[in-house]
Amino acid sequence: MSRVYNFSAGPAVLPEEVLREAADEMLDYRGSGMSVMEMSHRSKVYDTIIKEAEADLRELMNIPDNYKVLFLQGGASQQFAMIPMNLMKNRKAAYIVTGQWAKKAYQEAKLYGEAIEVASSADKTFSYIPDCSDLDIPEDADYVYICENNTIYGTKFKTLPNTKGHTLVADVSSCFLSEPVDVTKYGIIYGGVQKNIGPAGVVIVIIREDLITEDVLPGTPTMLRYKIHADNDSLYNTPPAYGIYICGKVFKWLKKMGGLQAMKERNEKKAKILYDFLDESRLFKGTVRKEDRSLMNVPFVTGNEELDAKFVKEAKAAGFENLKGHRTVGGMRASIYNAMPIEGVEKLVEFMRKFEAENA
Ligand SMILES: *Cc1c(COP(=O)(O)O)cnc(C)c1O
């Protein structure tokens, strides 16, 4: 067996330890005589799995009691609709558009009410985070929406926008559990888990209780109401049971690694290796304004498309997978989520140095 260094933006690398443990438990989960994939989500043994997952996540993120944790399906993209359907009481919301995922959310919200783009970084192909300290947010806006880490463009909000008292809603798909967060600053924090936590098919929504109401837009399907899932502890219908089980293992792994402060330090150290190299390289360069650089997704280019393609091809042959940039931006992107070992980034930089010497 040989594992590659997988720099995929998502679905992405998972801790090897977690995969081994899941493999060990595949045929007989702790004496139950069955796989977690095969058991009833209403069984006692599964109840322990989902409850422990929630408790560990609450501990990791220090989630206050007045927030619910929901394990849902439909990916992050389904939240683009679920958020306005549940929160747009005045049919008005402010969107900060810092990339394709924020734009998709903004466009989806327009189906339900007045979505207002209050800031954007589209003028420079989303290579920076706009100043959000004094935005023109309508008084009656139901919420302010951000995509906190822009997976495709590699930018991250280092300070949260000044929402002027409005509820903040954040898509954290690609920075989930990468560093400590102050949950109390948000109304909703949500993300698909396939970037930094687990297998595709689970989306985690952390939502302040006062935002969970019966008062949703007319026609909102039962399955798209936060209240139905909150009232049923994410077991209204069959949840993505196996995915939640893997997420639970990753939460335990993160606790063992020292929690989110330790992950932040590790992630900073890891990203610095790559950014320092990009800053000194004669061939490669980062595409993002320095102060807005993501710790998780690192886009870079050589400035020559043919050379980019050659790099991706040779890197793959050397065991560095999925370095091709997003299809809409080209170049390269290294996603270096929690589970990417520091050694993977060190080896990548070593390979880039060699490629530079041969091609610059
Ligand atoms: C990947 C991604 C999405 C889309 O996730 P799906 O689960 O495929 O719907 C949304 N937002 C961000 C920030 C992402 O990285």
Side-chain angles (χ1 to χ4, degrees), residues 63-357:
I63 300 173
D65 288 343
N66 64 326
Y67 284 75
K68 286 273 188 204
V69 173
L70 310 176
F71 296 100
L72 308 178
Q73 309 196 41
S77 300
Q78 184 156 283
Q79 293 305 308
F80 299 169
M82 203 162 164
I83 289 159
M85 284 176 146
N86 285 267
L87 263 55
M88 255 191 187
K89 320 282 180 198
N90 298 329
R91 300 245 181 180
K92 198 180 279 188
Y95 278 73
I96 298 173
V97 179
T98 52
Q100 282 193 32
W101 296 119
K103 192 168 169 193
K104 281 193 172 160
Y106 163 62
Q107 283 167 339
E108 189 72 6
K110 283 187 184 179
L111 298 174
Y112 303 100
E114 196 185 339
I116 303 156
E117 184 187 85
V118 291
S120 165
S121 51
D123 60 332
K124 289 182 184 154
T125 46
F126 301 116
S127 59
Y128 70 103
I129 297 290
D131 178 2
C132 298
S133 58
D134 185 20
L135 300 173
D136 193 7
I137 300 165
E139 200 61 37
D140 58 346
D142 293 301
Y143 58 89
V144 175
Y145 183 100
I146 62 167
C147 177
E148 195 160 330
N149 184 81
N150 296 283
T151 325
I152 296 171
Y153 300 95
T155 58
K156 160 111 207 284
F157 279 84
K158 301 293 163 80
T159 43
L160 293 174
N162 175 2
T163 65
K164 303 188 170 167
H166 294 84
T167 296
L168 180 64
V169 174
D171 174 358
V172 300
S173 294
S174 51
C175 59
F176 227 151
L177 304 179
S178 63
E179 56 185 289
V181 284
D182 180 355
V183 175
T184 63
K185 295 209 165 111
Y186 304 79
I188 294 182
I189 304 179
Y190 81 93
V193 306
Q194 74 272 24
K195 309 290 162 68
N196 209 13
I197 303 179
V202 184
V203 55
I204 298 175
V205 177
I206 300 159
I207 177 170
R208 210 176 55 222
E209 271 170 357
D210 62 282
L211 299 171
I212 305 170
T213 65
E214 305 267 10
D215 176 24
V216 297
L217 297 189
T220 299
T222 306
M223 275 293 287
L224 297 188
R225 297 169 187 227
Y226 289 125
K227 191 161 188 337
I228 202 91
H229 296 289
D231 287 350
N232 290 280
D233 295 326
S234 304
L235 294 169
Y236 168 68
N237 71 325
T238 318
Y242 193 81
I244 294 167
Y245 153 77
I246 299 290
C247 291
K249 288 203 178 300
V250 172
F251 300 152
K252 293 219 183 290
W253 177 77
L254 287 167
K255 280 171 64 177
K256 213 172 84 185
M257 296 290 285
L260 300 192
Q261 184 56 35
M263 288 318 291
K264 176 183 160 70
E265 285 158 26
R266 186 169 175 270
N267 287 328
E268 281 171 349
K269 188 173 152 202
K270 201 164 65 181
K272 189 174 185 309
I273 297 168
L274 187 48
Y275 283 125
D276 282 355
F277 172 70
L278 291 172
D279 289 342
E280 67 169 53
S281 172
R282 282 171 299 132
L283 180 63
F284 297 101
K285 76 174 204 303
T287 56
V288 169
R289 185 167 76 179
K290 279 189 188 175
E291 54 269 41
D292 301 324
R293 284 172 164 174
S294 165
L295 289 179
M296 297 283 104
N297 310 98
V298 184
F300 55 95
V301 294
T302 63
N304 173 330
E305 272 178 41
E306 272 168 41
L307 212 48
D308 286 350
K310 184 171 185 240
F311 174 78
V312 170
K313 190 162 164 245
E314 290 184 13
K316 184 177 165 70
F320 305 100
E321 289 270 355
N322 292 314
L323 282 166
K324 196 170 186 301
H326 190 267
R327 59 197 149 80
T328 58
V329 289
M332 281 75 71
R333 172 179 49 173
S335 294
I336 51 175
Y337 296 120
N338 282 341
M340 171 59 65
I342 287 180
E343 182 201 62
V345 175
E346 284 169 348
K347 293 227 165 109
L348 173 65
V349 166
E350 204 178 295
F351 178 81
M352 289 167 78
R353 255 186 233 291
K354 185 168 147 270
F355 186 88
E356 177 177 293

